[in-house]
């Protein structure tokens, strides 16, 4: 069974470019969470999506960031006009159910570097 | 608002020593608490998941306890090895409406000296 897949694993973008991070959840999981780990900081929740719906985006910066989880294909976290402060590790997790006692399974992360 | 704190921030021990990592949280309304390991530049490896109704979980040399009423969890590592060197993160899953997101502590950086 494949776990959560994220690609690319490493992404380098120049300031002002767009970054697209992809997450394929565990097969059969329809709940996806994105977390961000800034240098020297802990992981912080960004957004929770269920197929085709954004359920909670309370942790997303108000501008330049968007997320989607289409009916077919991976979840995408999109960062427009990246700035140096966006450099971080972005982790995706998936779960079988939104219920709190179901475990979230994490992917290996995408490390974004903005030059 | 749930806050998770881990003490100490860093720990260095000689090989073979038993050690305890601490995690505290401010709101006892949680579904579960999870301990993760993160190696430098790598992803998260789930170590132990304790449901709110449980007191402890064990896996090999690892034992995690949960005292929900006092808002504390400990991760006990027996007979530490250099390969245990990593950052250890705890995270709680609080009652939070539709999200039930994980809230992470900032981690304990463990170095086991050979």
């Amino acid at each position: 069974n494949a776990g959560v897949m994220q690609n690319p694993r490493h992404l380098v973008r120049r300031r002002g470019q767009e970054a697209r991070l992809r997450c394929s959840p565990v097969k059969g999981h329809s709940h996806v969470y994105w977390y961000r780990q800034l240098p020297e900081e802990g992981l912080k929740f960004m957004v929770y999506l269920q197929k085709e719906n954004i359920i909670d985006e309370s942790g997303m910066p108000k501008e330049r960031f968007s997320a989607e989880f289409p009916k077919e294909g991976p979840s995408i976290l999109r960062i427009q006009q990246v700035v140096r402060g966006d450099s971080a590790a972005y982790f995706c997790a998936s779960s079988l159910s939104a219920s709190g006692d179901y475990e979230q399974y994490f992917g290996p992360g995408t490390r974004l570097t903005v030059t | 608002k749930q806050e998770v704190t881990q003490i100490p921030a860093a720990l260095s021990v000689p090989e073979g020593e038993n050690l305890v990592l601490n995690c505290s949280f401010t709101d006892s309304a949680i579904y579960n608490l999870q301990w993760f390991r993160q190696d430098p530049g790598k992803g998260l490896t789930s170590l132990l998941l304790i449901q709110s109704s449980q007191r402890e979980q064990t896996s090999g040399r690892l034992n995690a306890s949960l005292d929900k009423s006092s808002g504390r969890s400990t991760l006990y590592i027996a007979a530490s090895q250099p390969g245990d060197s990593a950052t250890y993160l705890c995270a709680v899953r609080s009652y939070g409406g539709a999200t039930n997101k994980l809230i992470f502590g900032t981690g304990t950086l463990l170095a086991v000296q050979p």
Side-chain angles (χ1 to χ4, degrees), chain B residues 61-84:
Chain B
R61 293 182 294 108
L62 305 179
N63 176 276
S65 68
L66 174 64
D67 184 343
K68 204 172 69 162
S69 60
S70 67
R72 292 181 184 174
S73 176
T74 60
L75 179 66
Y76 174 82
I77 303 177
S80 58
Q81 302 170 357
D84 295 330

Short mmCIF file of all heavy atoms in Angstrom, two decimals, chain B residues 61-84:
data_model
loop_
_atom_site.label_atom_id
_atom_site.label_comp_id
_atom_site.label_asym_id
_atom_site.label_seq_id
_atom_site.Cartn_x
_atom_site.Cartn_y
_atom_site.Cartn_z
N ARG B 61 11.31 -0.05 22.45
CA ARG B 61 11.96 0.66 23.55
C ARG B 61 11.23 1.96 23.91
O ARG B 61 11.69 2.70 24.78
CB ARG B 61 13.40 0.98 23.17
CG ARG B 61 14.29 -0.25 23.02
CD ARG B 61 15.74 0.12 22.70
NE ARG B 61 15.87 0.75 21.39
CZ ARG B 61 16.13 2.04 21.20
NH1 ARG B 61 16.33 2.85 22.24
NH2 ARG B 61 16.23 2.53 19.98
N LEU B 62 10.12 2.23 23.25
CA LEU B 62 9.40 3.48 23.48
C LEU B 62 8.14 3.23 24.28
O LEU B 62 7.43 2.25 24.05
CB LEU B 62 9.00 4.13 22.14
CG LEU B 62 10.11 4.39 21.14
CD1 LEU B 62 9.51 5.00 19.88
CD2 LEU B 62 11.17 5.29 21.71
N ASN B 63 7.87 4.13 25.21
CA ASN B 63 6.63 4.08 25.97
C ASN B 63 6.13 5.50 26.12
O ASN B 63 6.86 6.39 26.57
CB ASN B 63 6.87 3.47 27.36
CG ASN B 63 5.63 3.49 28.22
OD1 ASN B 63 5.33 4.49 28.87
ND2 ASN B 63 4.88 2.40 28.21
N ALA B 64 4.89 5.72 25.72
CA ALA B 64 4.29 7.05 25.86
C ALA B 64 3.13 6.97 26.83
O ALA B 64 2.33 6.04 26.77
CB ALA B 64 3.81 7.56 24.51
N SER B 65 3.05 7.94 27.71
CA SER B 65 1.95 8.01 28.67
C SER B 65 1.14 9.27 28.42
O SER B 65 1.64 10.23 27.85
CB SER B 65 2.49 8.00 30.09
OG SER B 65 3.19 9.21 30.34
N LEU B 66 -0.09 9.23 28.86
CA LEU B 66 -0.99 10.38 28.70
C LEU B 66 -1.77 10.60 29.98
O LEU B 66 -2.43 9.67 30.48
CB LEU B 66 -1.95 10.16 27.52
CG LEU B 66 -3.03 11.22 27.32
CD1 LEU B 66 -2.41 12.57 26.97
CD2 LEU B 66 -4.01 10.78 26.24
N ASP B 67 -1.69 11.80 30.52
CA ASP B 67 -2.52 12.21 31.64
C ASP B 67 -3.33 13.40 31.15
O ASP B 67 -2.88 14.55 31.20
CB ASP B 67 -1.65 12.59 32.85
CG ASP B 67 -2.47 12.93 34.07
OD1 ASP B 67 -3.69 13.19 33.92
OD2 ASP B 67 -1.94 12.94 35.19
N LYS B 68 -4.52 13.10 30.67
CA LYS B 68 -5.32 14.14 30.02
C LYS B 68 -5.74 15.23 31.00
O LYS B 68 -5.73 16.41 30.66
CB LYS B 68 -6.56 13.49 29.40
CG LYS B 68 -7.15 14.25 28.26
CD LYS B 68 -8.24 13.47 27.56
CE LYS B 68 -9.45 13.30 28.45
NZ LYS B 68 -10.65 12.94 27.68
N SER B 69 -6.05 14.84 32.22
CA SER B 69 -6.57 15.82 33.18
C SER B 69 -5.53 16.87 33.54
O SER B 69 -5.86 18.03 33.79
CB SER B 69 -7.06 15.11 34.45
OG SER B 69 -6.00 14.40 35.05
N SER B 70 -4.25 16.46 33.56
CA SER B 70 -3.20 17.42 33.88
C SER B 70 -2.56 18.01 32.63
O SER B 70 -1.68 18.87 32.71
CB SER B 70 -2.12 16.78 34.74
OG SER B 70 -1.42 15.80 34.01
N GLY B 71 -3.00 17.54 31.46
CA GLY B 71 -2.47 18.08 30.21
C GLY B 71 -1.03 17.72 29.96
O GLY B 71 -0.25 18.57 29.51
N ARG B 72 -0.68 16.45 30.23
CA ARG B 72 0.72 16.06 30.07
C ARG B 72 0.87 14.71 29.40
O ARG B 72 0.05 13.81 29.58
CB ARG B 72 1.41 15.98 31.43
CG ARG B 72 1.57 17.33 32.09
CD ARG B 72 2.28 17.17 33.42
NE ARG B 72 2.37 18.46 34.11
CZ ARG B 72 2.83 18.60 35.32
NH1 ARG B 72 3.29 17.57 36.00
NH2 ARG B 72 2.87 19.79 35.89
N SER B 73 1.95 14.60 28.65
CA SER B 73 2.36 13.32 28.09
C SER B 73 3.87 13.21 28.20
O SER B 73 4.58 14.22 28.14
CB SER B 73 1.94 13.21 26.62
OG SER B 73 2.42 12.01 26.04
N THR B 74 4.34 12.00 28.39
CA THR B 74 5.78 11.77 28.38
C THR B 74 6.11 10.67 27.39
O THR B 74 5.32 9.74 27.18
CB THR B 74 6.31 11.35 29.76
OG1 THR B 74 5.67 10.14 30.15
CG2 THR B 74 6.05 12.42 30.81
N LEU B 75 7.26 10.80 26.77
CA LEU B 75 7.80 9.74 25.91
C LEU B 75 9.06 9.24 26.58
O LEU B 75 10.02 9.99 26.77
CB LEU B 75 8.12 10.27 24.51
CG LEU B 75 8.72 9.25 23.54
CD1 LEU B 75 7.71 8.15 23.22
CD2 LEU B 75 9.21 9.91 22.27
N TYR B 76 9.03 7.97 26.93
CA TYR B 76 10.16 7.33 27.60
C TYR B 76 10.90 6.50 26.57
O TYR B 76 10.30 5.68 25.87
CB TYR B 76 9.63 6.46 28.75
CG TYR B 76 10.66 5.63 29.46
CD1 TYR B 76 11.47 6.17 30.46
CD2 TYR B 76 10.82 4.28 29.14
CE1 TYR B 76 12.41 5.39 31.12
CE2 TYR B 76 11.76 3.51 29.81
CZ TYR B 76 12.54 4.06 30.79
OH TYR B 76 13.48 3.28 31.44
N ILE B 77 12.20 6.72 26.48
CA ILE B 77 13.05 5.94 25.58
C ILE B 77 14.05 5.16 26.42
O ILE B 77 14.85 5.76 27.17
CB ILE B 77 13.81 6.83 24.57
CG1 ILE B 77 12.81 7.67 23.75
CG2 ILE B 77 14.67 5.97 23.63
CD1 ILE B 77 13.47 8.65 22.77
N ALA B 78 13.97 3.86 26.34
CA ALA B 78 14.87 3.00 27.13
C ALA B 78 16.14 2.70 26.34
O ALA B 78 16.12 2.56 25.12
CB ALA B 78 14.16 1.71 27.48
N ALA B 79 17.23 2.60 27.07
CA ALA B 79 18.51 2.18 26.49
C ALA B 79 18.81 2.91 25.19
O ALA B 79 18.91 2.29 24.11
CB ALA B 79 18.53 0.66 26.29
N SER B 80 18.92 4.21 25.26
CA SER B 80 19.05 5.04 24.06
C SER B 80 20.27 4.64 23.21
O SER B 80 21.29 4.16 23.72
CB SER B 80 19.16 6.51 24.44
OG SER B 80 20.26 6.73 25.30
N GLN B 81 20.11 4.85 21.89
CA GLN B 81 21.14 4.51 20.92
C GLN B 81 21.42 5.73 20.05
O GLN B 81 20.54 6.58 19.88
CB GLN B 81 20.65 3.35 20.03
CG GLN B 81 20.27 2.11 20.80
CD GLN B 81 19.57 1.08 19.91
OE1 GLN B 81 19.32 1.32 18.73
NE2 GLN B 81 19.26 -0.06 20.49
N PRO B 82 22.63 5.81 19.46
CA PRO B 82 22.91 6.96 18.58
C PRO B 82 21.88 7.12 17.47
O PRO B 82 21.56 8.24 17.06
CB PRO B 82 24.30 6.61 18.03
CG PRO B 82 24.94 5.81 19.12
CD PRO B 82 23.81 4.98 19.70
N GLY B 83 21.31 6.01 17.00
CA GLY B 83 20.30 6.09 15.96
C GLY B 83 18.99 6.72 16.42
O GLY B 83 18.13 7.03 15.59
N ASP B 84 18.85 6.94 17.72
CA ASP B 84 17.66 7.63 18.24
C ASP B 84 17.78 9.14 18.09
O ASP B 84 16.81 9.87 18.33
CB ASP B 84 17.44 7.30 19.72
CG ASP B 84 17.11 5.83 19.96
OD1 ASP B 84 16.51 5.20 19.06
OD2 ASP B 84 17.45 5.32 21.06
#
